[in-house]
Amino acid sequence: MKSELKALLFAAFCGTGLIATAGTEGTVTADLLNVRLKPELKSVVVAKLPHGTKVDILGTVGDFYEISAPDRTPVYVSAVYLRDGKVLSPVKMRTAMDRHAAAYGLLPAGTKVKVLLETPLGWAKIEPPASLKVYTAKNYVKAAEPVKESEAAKPAEAEKPAAPEAAKAVAVDVRPLEKAQEAPAEVKAAPAEEKKAPEAVKVPVEAPKEVKTEKAAEPDQLDEQLKKLGVDLSKSTEITAAGYMVEIPNTTVEAVKYAVMKLDAKGQYVKSCFVCSSDAALLKSAVERNVKVTGRAYSVPTWKTPVVKVTALELTK
């Protein structure tokens, strides 16, 4: 009963309409079995299972078993989008602590997760959700009973177009095109000389005036990204900050990729503020340069350092 419920939750989450033998127990027969992100030999290996490991088989896809992600499957998300064990905004689950790493899929907003580890770089390792699926080669897993093919693996049947009703009732003229277009025999040829038609009077026509329509203002995508971080856009302060511009490695937040550093009393660089801008090229061109930025400073819940939406940037010495 528990395994069937698990399969239904999985189908609802992934939208695959999975109808397979769920909860079939499988046993790993290989010394060390690769668990892959997709049912392909070239797909990313996300975990390795030793001989004798039990797996929960959901269905088959070609030469692979679709299984529930084992507990040892690494799943990482940006900790920025988590609060009190709940997902604030849809967030990608990744196979490693890198925003360019392969993704399992999205965790919907409101999903409860179990955080196993948080890192200083803003990543959180979470327990694999019950709905997460991965794949193993069938040849190295012994199933307790026959497993049906996953519905997701079956090709959809192409619909045959219905024959038009008119085509059923109307007879088709199959004469060659050139025959059908021949002039009737009784039509006489036109006389050799014809009177010229009077020339048409040319009336100047004024070209229509171009009507300019105002383009609707597009929503600020940067503001939308800041909202997902929990920023209250109605609360900000005007700020000017000076320091050394750096690019943040392995950031988990797409909107915030740069920071302005300043020297503290000990002569060490510390973060003055994170910076973002709708003009990403502007910030990138100032990396590893001394700058003075002006903009609106926002507070992000759980962050000690503010985020400044830059309106002006000046290179300094």
Side-chain angles (χ1 to χ4, degrees), residues 49-233:
L49 303 178
H51 183 275
T53 302
K54 302 297 182 183
V55 295
D56 186 31
I57 303 174
L58 303 173
T60 67
V61 182
D63 294 329
F64 289 81
Y65 277 137
E66 187 176 77
I67 67 172
S68 298
D71 291 340
R72 68 183 66 200
T73 307
V75 182
Y76 297 93
V77 297
S78 171
V80 171
Y81 300 103
L82 301 180
R83 193 174 304 159
D84 299 326
K86 188 175 289 187
V87 178
L88 300 177
S89 179
V91 61
K92 284 186 178 180
M93 298 179 287
R94 297 196 181 275
T95 57
M97 291 185 288
D98 187 330
R99 63 190 180 88
H100 299 297
Y104 297 102
L106 280 176
L107 265 180
T111 305
K112 291 183 178 180
V113 296
K114 182 179 180 180
V115 177
L116 303 176
L117 174 70
E118 285 197 38
T119 72
L121 293 175
W123 290 97
K125 184 177 183 180
I126 65 171
E127 187 177 87
S131 55
L132 187 60
K133 64 178 180 180
V134 287
Y135 300 88
T136 59
K138 289 165 59 177
N139 291 342
Y140 303 105
V141 177
K142 183 178 180 181
E145 57 187 59
V147 182
K148 294 181 181 179
E149 183 181 22
S150 167
E151 289 293 322
K154 297 179 181 178
E157 294 184 5
E159 294 185 5
K160 297 179 180 180
E165 292 296 325
K168 298 177 183 178
V170 181
V172 179
D173 186 355
V174 294
R175 290 180 299 163
L177 184 61
E178 60 271 15
K179 291 291 183 180
Q181 293 179 344
E182 286 181 359
E186 64 271 18
V187 177
K188 295 180 180 180
E193 295 183 3
E194 295 182 354
K195 293 182 180 180
K196 292 183 179 180
E199 292 184 2
V201 179
K202 296 181 179 180
V203 180
V205 179
E206 185 179 353
K209 295 180 180 179
E210 183 180 353
V211 179
K212 295 183 179 180
T213 56
E214 293 187 3
K215 187 178 179 181
E218 296 182 0
D220 190 321
Q221 293 184 353
L222 192 55
D223 283 350
E224 293 302 315
Q225 290 175 334
L226 290 174
K227 285 181 182 178
K228 289 181 180 180
L229 297 176
V231 168
D232 184 348
L233 296 176

